[in-house]
Amino acid sequence: MKRGATLKLNFMRKPHNTLRISLTILLVLISRLAMADISLPSVLSDGMVLRQRSAVRIWGWGNPTEKVNIQPSWETAKDTAVVKGNGKWSFTIHTPAAGGPYTIRIDGRNTIILKDILIGEVWICSGQSNMDMSMNWGLKYDDDIPKTDNDSVRLLQVPKLTASFPAESINAKWEKATPKVIRSFSAVGYFFAVRLQKQLHVPVGIINASWGGSAGEPFLPGEAIRTDTALNNAANKLRPNKYASTEPGEVFNAMIYPLKDLPVTGILWYQGEANVGQHTYKRLLTTLIRSWRELWNEDMPFYYVQIAPWSGYGKKLSGALIREDQSKVLSVQKTGMVLTMDLVDDITDLHPKRKKEVGLRLGDLALGDHYGIRGLTYMVPQYDSFRIDGNKMTLSFKHTENGLSSQEKNIRGFYISGKDKTFVPANAEIKGNSVVVWNDDIKHPKAVRYAFSGDATATLFSKKGLPVNLFRTDDWPIDTIKQ
């Protein structure tokens, strides 16, 4: 008891010494824990797909001056880096031709082994809800969901976040295309990846960085919007949105910028509904394409989906005008567009359900345009030129080499105008690769329009089955036209 009492007395006499020792031990332990581990961003995870035959950056964090070694299993030699004063380290490794699975071993004070790595093709899909739509939206594709894992397709879902400044990383990891994961992933992105994988016989990684309801401005660097007067004025007119940010740069900073060190083959884009009515969409999308290419420092292919017909666009021509703007972006190199005018079962539904067909069309576009696979039909049939013969206008088209077709005897969607700029319904007759358009009451026609409204669906097709894009032969200011 005396010894116990003495011990207690001693403890009570010098509590500050005991506290000092305890704090010292705690600080040492915290220091050792803080210094011990090298770490990686979560996008560098087991099961990831790296782009084949590319210079790939592997990066992370550690203790300054710490040596870090890397050993990809497809290489015989190790590489060494030193953690910089800012706590970051990085390597550039070179990937082989498609294959796998491989491992990457990274050694510092601790060891990280990335397993089940595939080498193949990597694409990003982005946009608003029509890109983000998954099987869980009630899409009728149960027969297309495999019963077992598709080991050759890997998916990365980027969390919906915003940031005022560019973020370094995101909390996401690669997953196999399991039946469960597929159901909650972009249907367009998934079917695109499956189309590529089956045709190319290589692993395909698809990254979904979409946000339903979002305008295009948040997907661009904020500076790109603020330094462009027209885009900045349009951004300032965006209405507040309870579903998504309208602030330029906020989605780009949190969801796109952190992906910049992952080499990607190309971009898929499906957005525009939230920007209907601005009349600056060509400029917006062109700036987005340029900004993203600058971020990856590569002129990667950029393929996008023209928004679908919808009866709820308000002003009669607002939906047509943005689809026209989207069509004009095809003048940018290494771009391509797929149409949805024939994939709408209900024009009162802003979210058409036929997303498999959209994904497959994007897949054929990428396979034909980027990968050079022959024999595919992927070019959008488009109006080219016209001539006037009396009271008739004969329209010529491109990408309709085998001719035109329609299931309707009286083809809907054509309107014709004289010099008064008043458009009236027109008769239309297919003549091989041309369409002859007239109205008996218009003796001296000046212009023709086809499917040029917010809710017009396709009635004219190439004989290979793709819908002809909407068009107008005039360039009259819309606000001066009587409707």
Side-chain angles (χ1 to χ4, degrees), residues 247-370:
E247 185 65 29
E250 285 199 340
V251 174
F252 174 86
N253 289 339
M255 298 176 63
I256 305 302
Y257 185 88
L259 304 173
K260 65 183 178 62
D261 289 316
L262 291 176
V264 296
T265 308
I267 305 294
L268 309 175
W269 178 254
Y270 191 169
Q271 191 276 337
E273 297 90 345
N275 288 95
V276 169
Q278 284 187 338
H279 312 316
T280 53
Y281 198 78
K282 177 189 175 184
R283 192 182 191 98
L284 180 75
L285 186 54
T286 300
T287 304
L288 184 145
I289 294 169
R290 184 183 69 247
S291 299
W292 286 25
R293 286 174 172 173
E294 288 175 355
L295 182 67
W296 271 276
N297 194 30
E298 183 176 354
D299 272 347
M300 63 184 70
F302 192 103
Y303 303 135
Y304 56 98
V305 182
Q306 188 185 73
I307 63 172
W310 183 49
S311 61
Y313 282 129
K315 290 185 179 180
K316 191 172 183 180
L317 296 182
S318 58
L321 286 170
I322 197 165
R323 289 203 298 274
E324 181 182 57
D325 264 5
Q326 290 176 318
S327 304
K328 291 177 180 178
V329 176
L330 289 172
S331 62
V332 178
Q333 65 173 348
K334 294 186 180 180
T335 60
M337 181 177 71
V338 301
L339 303 185
T340 58
M341 294 171 61
D342 61 326
L343 301 178
V344 179
D345 299 320
D346 179 3
I347 61 170
T348 67
D349 187 356
L350 183 60
H351 302 101
K353 302 300 188 293
R354 298 172 67 181
K355 292 298 186 276
K356 176 182 178 180
E357 291 85 342
V358 176
L360 296 181
R361 283 184 181 177
L362 284 169
D364 284 345
L365 174 56
L367 289 168
D369 184 65
H370 178 70

Side-chain angles (χ1 to χ4, degrees), residues 1-48:
M1 291 294 296
K2 291 183 178 179
R3 182 176 296 179
T6 303
L7 286 173
K8 185 176 181 180
L9 181 60
N10 289 339
F11 178 78
M12 294 178 64
R13 282 179 178 173
K14 300 182 179 180
H16 56 285
N17 290 338
T18 304
L19 182 60
R20 186 182 297 123
I21 292 170
S22 300
L23 287 174
T24 301
I25 293 172
L26 182 60
L27 290 172
V28 169
L29 289 172
I30 292 173
S31 177
R32 287 182 178 177
L33 286 171
M35 294 173 60
D37 291 344
I38 55 170
S39 61
L40 298 170
S42 59
V43 293
L44 300 178
S45 67
D46 292 347
M48 66 181 173

Side-chain angles (χ1 to χ4, degrees), residues 71 91 116 156 166 201 234 275 281 395 414:
Q71 176 70 71
F91 295 91
D116 192 30
L156 181 68
H201 304 291
N275 288 95
Y281 198 78
L395 311 171
F414 281 92

Side-chain angles (χ1 to χ4, degrees), residues 74-132:
W74 62 84
E75 295 282 1
T76 57
K78 290 183 179 180
D79 197 5
T80 301
V82 176
V83 181
K84 296 179 180 180
N86 61 3
K88 299 178 183 179
W89 54 266
S90 68
F91 295 91
T92 298
I93 61 175
H94 295 273
T95 56
Y102 295 104
T103 62
I104 298 177
R105 181 186 177 102
I106 305 168
D107 292 303
R109 296 174 68 93
N110 60 304
T111 295
I112 298 173
I113 300 179
L114 296 173
K115 307 178 186 71
D116 192 30
I117 297 169
L118 301 182
I119 308 296
E121 298 296 295
V122 181
W123 288 75
I124 292 175
C125 61
S126 187
Q128 55 182 112
S129 53
N130 274 301
M131 178 63 89
D132 204 29

